Structures are given as C-alpha cells and as structure tokens.
Amino acid sequence: MDAILEARALTKRYGATLALNNVDLTLPRGKIIGLLGPNGSGKTTLLKIAAGLLTPTSGVILADNRPIGEQTKSVISFLPERTYLPDWMTVNDCLDYFEDFYSDFDRKRAVEMLTRLAVPANKRMRTLSKGTREKMQLVLVMSRRAKLYLLDEPIGGVDPATRDYILDTIIGNYDSEATILISTHLISDVEKVLDEFLFLKEGIITMHDTTDNIRETQGKSLDELFREVFRC
Amino acid sequence: MLGKLMKHDFRALSRTLFPLQIGILAGGLLATLLTVLTVRLSNASWAGSNGSTMLKELIMAASTTMSVLIGIAIAASAFVTILLICIHFYRSFLCDEGYLTFTLPVSTSNLLWSKLLTGIFWLLINAVVICVTILIFAVFGTTSAGIANQSVLDLIKQFFTEFLPRAAQYISIPLVIVECVIVGLLAIASQMLELYFAIIVGGQIAKKHRILAAIGMYLLINMGVGIISSVFTSVVAFGEGVWEITLNTAQEVGTFFTSVFGWYGVLFAGLSVLFFLVSRSILKKNLNLQ
C-alpha cells in the first residue's frame, strides 16, 4: 500500500536555526502514529509543512502522492495547537464554514459531538472558554472524513478528564483507512492508542517503529523508551 | 470556491462595515437637521431678553460645531473603511486565522481574488453612501425656506438637461461613462492590491512589529509607484506628441482627456497585475505562518 505522507531530505531553517534536518519519512495509511519529541524538536514544523502553512527550505514532501497544495488540503485535516476560529463566529457559523469548504465534512456527526459537549449552536467563539474552543476545533477537525489527520499537541495543557475526552473523540471518529499523526510529549496518555511512533530530536528522526515491536523486543513501554532516549 | 470565499469574507466585513455605513447616513441626516436648525435660527428674529439671544447663539454654535464634526467623520469614513478592510486581510492571512485560511482547499489566487473583490465592493458601497449623504445635505440642509433647496435641484436638473446634451455633441457620453467606471475600478483595485502587497511583505520581513513593517512597506512601495507613474506618464506624453496637442476646441479637450484616462487605465491595470502576481507568488512559494 502506498504512503499517505512521504518526505525526502526535508529541511527547514529559521535563520540560523535548523528546525528540520534532512528528514526522510514514509507514513502508511490506516495507522495512528505518534510524533514524539521534546519541545523544540521540530514536531510542529513538520506538521505545519505537511498542512501547507510553512514552506520547506529544501526537500520534497508529498501527501497522498501529491505535492502539498490545494488538492492535499482537501484530504488533510489539521488541528493546530492554537485556536484559530474567528471570535465573532458562532458555533453554527463554524459548522457552515467547514461544510462549505470541505466536501468530507460530516455536519451531523459534528452536531452530535457538540450536543454531547453541551455547546449551544448560537454561542459566539469569544464567549466560549479556551478549553471549549479547543474542543470545538477538535470536533470540527475530527468530523471530516479525511485521509490524513495532523493533530498538534491536542492533549497538551488540558486536565486528565478532558484528555480522555479528546482521545476518545479522536479514536471514535476516525476512519480505519485514514492515518492520524499526533504530536505530543505526553507519551503515557497516548501510548495505548498508537500503532507506530516517530522520535524527533533536534530536527532529525532518530527512531520510527511500531509500539508492539518496542514492547516485544525491548520489553519497555514507549514512555520508558522516550525517557531513556531523551534523558537530559 | 471563489463564491464561497467571497460569501464568508463579505459576512466578516459586513459585521463592521455595514454599521459604519448606517452610521454615515445617520450622521449625515443629523448634520442636515442641525444645519437647517442653524440656518433657520440665524434668520429668525428673536425679540426678547439677552438670555434668549444668548440661548439662540449657543444653539447655533453647538449645531454648527456638531455639523462640522459629523462632516469630518463622514469624510474620514473612507479611510476607516479601507482600514477595516486591511485589518480583515491582516487577520485572515497573517494572524491565527491564517491557520484556517491557508488550510482551506482553495487556490492562493482565489484567496486573493476574494479579498480584492469584497474590498472593492465595500469601497464602492462607502462611496455611494457618502455621495447620497452629501446629496441629502446639499438638497435639504442648505435651505432657509421650504424643505428642499430649489437652486440645488435646478443645478442637478441642469446637469442632465443642458450640460450632458451639450457635451454629447463633442464626446460620446456612454463611452466616457464606461471609461470612467473601468478606470475607477482599476484605480481602486491597484490601490487595494498595493495595500495587500505591503501587508504581505511586512509580514514576511518582520516577526514582531508586522503592522509597523506593513506601514513602512506601504510608504516605500508608494514612492516606487509614484516614480513608475511619473516615468509612465512622461513616456506616454512624449509618445503622444504632447507638444503638438492643441486644446482650443471642446472636442480637442474631450479627446485629450479620453486619451489620458485610457492611459491611466493601462497604468492601473499594469500595477494591479504586478501586485497580484507578486503577492500570489509570495503566499504560494514562501508562506511561513508563525
């Protein structure tokens, strides 16, 4: 089966800082993959390049066998770590917006999830708490029938109960044919749902393996391995 | 997709620009009423105590001040409209909202077209609202007797019944109207695209003070545009043989201005295409949303 995301010699510089250094990467379809690394390792940069928000300094990146552009954006659902919905929009406006632009958006599913969250449809974004806005974004992103989900720190900075809600939403709403690339440094929370993982250190992928293989061959949990590899 | 983008851009801009236009009309009506009040009071003979004369003068002074302030606010509304359009562009492209804008499955060209067309639309609405407000003021706010100022109405009537038929003997009125509309739209488009271009470049060169950088870029670009315009008009003027042109008859004057207008249209079109293509290229090949 061909790859959903492929990078070859992908490099990104911010002035003198090398955020991604010659990254080679092939991600299969139908997997939940953890993009793991400490702060500043290049996780967000990689996701933003794949989402089309950053231009790589050099190298090639393909999503669904196409260069990043208009067509790849229709199959990629990206959840950034910041809230991006305009604060004047109501919940309904946001649903309209996604429905207008994404043919794979499942409004019914989004409404169901929002009803469970008890978010009123006529509420403006500015009146919602930061946590609810983040959940709202997650609902929008996961209500798409995308081929590739890029989730940047979806469980960072939230309480354990919300963490469970987010992970349940992610697992409960993705198509088994789709791939989820989820960046986090909270390994223990996501470990149970990951099929594969990537370790990213100072812009270099130091390890790409399946979680089962690590448990079987090294007898360690991913969290233990992460602590060992990234020990300060 | 362009239609959908325009729909959402229009909605976003309407939130601030629609109330602004209503405010202009309301302000214009208020200024008209206050001016009428001032004119009527100044003509009225108030026989009475010093106190009532003072009250009359006080009301007149307050009305005049209010009218002038409203007039300034209406004149400034065009600037405010442009400012609000630019803020919308800045937020959509360079702030957190950019994460939404640039992950949409639409082309960069369509993103720019949408911002351009909705911006032009609102500027035209603003121009119409200002013209209507001025017309209301001129007709109803400048008379000391009756409701409407008959001399202003006569002047408007004269324009259509005398001036235009006379002008039509020398120039083609429909052609001039079409030319004015096209050149006017191209002028607005080149100005909007110049502003957008300055915002995009400002966002590229500065990490923190992007708005300041955008203003600086706009001033620099404007200087460049000024130089290009001067060179262009000089080349065109000499190419047209400006020293041989005589402006003795109305027909010669009409032909001359039609030609000048046409060349300005070419200039604005060229600048618009240049700003659009460079902006698109930056957003497509060098987007770095922090």
Side-chain angles (χ1 to χ4, degrees):
Chain A
M1 189 179 269
D2 60 344
I4 184 67
L5 189 71
E6 202 176 348
R8 288 194 293 269
L10 189 68
T11 300
K12 179 65 186 176
R13 277 183 184 280
Y14 297 110
T17 311
L18 197 56
L20 287 179
N21 187 2
N22 259 324
V23 168
D24 287 312
L25 173 75
T26 304
L27 299 187
R29 293 169 194 265
K31 302 282 182 193
I32 302 180
I33 301 163
L35 179 60
L36 314 174
N39 291 332
S41 56
K43 303 188 295 290
T44 299
T45 300
L46 179 60
L47 294 181
K48 280 167 74 174
I49 289 175
L53 297 171
L54 284 177
T55 310
T57 308
S58 61
V60 176
I61 182 160
L62 304 172
D64 203 22
N65 299 317
R66 292 192 181 98
I68 303 301
E70 195 181 333
Q71 285 172 316
T72 63
K73 287 173 188 178
S74 65
V75 296
I76 292 177
S77 193
F78 175 52
L79 179 74
E81 57 184 332
R82 61 180 76 188
T83 50
Y84 58 67
L85 297 168
D87 57 8
W88 59 269
M89 272 190 175
T90 63
V91 171
N92 252 341
D93 289 340
C94 295
L95 295 175
D96 291 343
Y97 196 91
F98 268 65
E99 197 171 32
D100 268 352
F101 289 107
Y102 298 108
S103 56
D104 59 5
F105 182 67
D106 186 344
R107 188 178 184 123
K108 198 176 155 210
R109 187 182 288 262
V111 170
E112 277 170 16
M113 281 195 268
L114 289 171
T115 309
R116 274 205 299 276
L117 274 173
V119 180
N122 57 350
K123 278 262 185 186
R124 291 196 188 278
M125 288 298 113
R126 75 166 76 93
T127 63
L128 300 177
S129 69
K130 189 171 176 278
T132 308
R133 286 172 77 159
E134 283 171 356
K135 284 180 201 162
M136 169 84 198
Q137 280 185 189
L138 179 74
V139 165
L140 291 171
V141 165
M142 295 311 298
S143 295
R144 285 185 56 197
R145 307 288 95 199
K147 289 183 180 174
L148 175 63
Y149 297 86
L150 303 171
L151 312 179
D152 194 5
E153 299 282 2
I155 55 169
V158 296
D159 60 79
T162 309
R163 235 175 260 175
D164 286 345
Y165 168 82
I166 291 170
L167 287 174
D168 288 346
T169 306
I170 293 168
I171 304 308
N173 289 285
Y174 101 105
D175 184 347
S176 57
E177 295 290 303
T179 290
I180 297 181
L181 183 59
I182 176 168
S183 100
T184 185
H185 50 262
L186 299 167
I187 319 294
S188 56
D189 289 291
V190 295
E191 185 172 354
K192 57 181 182 281
V193 302
L194 298 181
D195 296 311
E196 293 184 15
F197 68 94
L198 296 157
F199 277 174
L200 196 59
K201 191 177 184 181
E202 293 168 0
I204 297 168
I205 291 184
T206 55
M207 199 180 284
H208 181 185
D209 208 338
T210 65
T211 44
D212 287 344
N213 194 38
I214 290 300
R215 283 187 208 110
E216 283 163 18
T217 58
Q218 300 202 24
K220 288 173 189 162
S221 70
L222 198 55
D223 190 42
E224 286 169 332
L225 183 68
F226 182 87
R227 286 169 198 274
E228 201 178 290
V229 171
F230 293 103
R231 185 173 290 136
C232 297
Chain B
M1 281 292 185
L2 179 61
K4 289 175 182 173
L5 283 170
M6 285 178 67
K7 181 182 100 179
H8 288 283
D9 274 331
F10 185 77
R11 275 178 72 180
L13 283 171
S14 303
R15 280 173 46 251
T16 48
L17 290 176
F18 185 70
L20 179 69
Q21 310 313 314
I22 297 293
I24 294 167
L25 270 175
L29 288 175
L30 185 63
T32 306
L33 282 172
L34 290 172
T35 311
V36 167
L37 180 70
T38 311
V39 172
R40 302 283 162 109
L41 278 176
S42 66
N43 289 345
S45 54
W46 277 27
S49 63
N50 282 343
S52 61
T53 312
M54 257 183 70
L55 179 66
K56 173 187 166 184
E57 281 169 2
L58 199 69
I59 294 170
M60 282 173 62
S63 299
T64 310
T65 312
M66 276 292 285
S67 299
V68 170
L69 287 177
I70 291 168
I72 292 169
I74 290 169
S77 73
F79 173 74
V80 176
T81 301
I82 293 172
L83 191 69
L84 289 171
I85 292 168
C86 287
I87 289 171
H88 172 64
F89 182 87
Y90 174 75
R91 283 192 180 152
S92 301
F93 277 27
L94 299 178
C95 297
D96 288 351
E97 267 179 59
Y99 281 72
L100 189 60
T101 307
F102 288 109
T103 47
L104 293 175
V106 295
S107 67
T108 313
S109 296
N110 275 349
L111 287 173
L112 276 171
W113 271 115
S114 172
K115 294 281 182 283
L116 175 64
L117 294 176
T118 47
I120 290 174
F121 176 83
W122 273 110
L123 280 177
L124 291 176
I125 292 285
N126 179 246
V128 170
V129 168
I130 290 176
C131 288
V132 169
T133 307
I134 291 170
L135 196 66
I136 289 171
F137 181 82
V139 173
F140 300 105
T142 55
T143 176
S144 54
I147 294 174
N149 189 333
Q150 197 53 46
S151 55
V152 174
L153 290 174
D154 288 343
L155 210 64
I156 295 168
K157 192 180 166 191
Q158 207 180 346
F159 177 80
F160 288 103
T161 55
E162 288 177 32
F163 177 78
L164 281 186
R166 204 183 305 158
Q169 293 171 1
Y170 309 106
I171 50 171
S172 164
I173 299 294
L175 184 72
V176 170
I177 291 171
V178 168
E179 203 178 35
C180 284
V181 169
I182 291 172
V183 175
L185 285 175
L186 286 171
I188 296 172
S190 75
Q191 192 56 54
M192 288 307 309
L193 286 165
E194 186 181 335
L195 284 162
Y196 291 166
F197 177 62
I199 294 168
I200 291 168
V201 177
Q204 287 280 321
I205 59 172
K207 277 185 182 170
K208 282 186 179 173
H209 304 289
R210 290 176 179 179
I211 295 173
L212 270 179
I215 294 169
M217 277 314 300
Y218 177 71
L219 295 174
L220 268 176
I221 295 164
N222 223 18
M223 275 169 61
V225 169
I227 293 167
I228 291 171
S229 302
S230 303
V231 171
F232 180 84
T233 43
S234 304
V235 169
V236 167
F238 283 105
E240 291 263 304
V242 73
W243 57 89
E244 289 170 356
I245 292 173
T246 53
L247 300 173
N248 296 329
T249 64
Q251 195 161 11
E252 282 172 351
V253 173
T255 311
F256 175 74
F257 280 106
T258 308
S259 169
V260 167
F261 241 60
W263 281 113
Y264 268 107
V266 172
L267 175 68
F268 293 137
L271 288 171
S272 300
V273 170
L274 178 73
F275 289 134
F276 186 93
L277 291 179
V278 181
S279 298
R280 190 185 67 167
S281 175
I282 293 172
L283 292 174
K284 210 171 177 180
K285 294 176 185 164
N286 207 26
L287 180 68
N288 281 301
L289 211 61
Q290 299 299 315

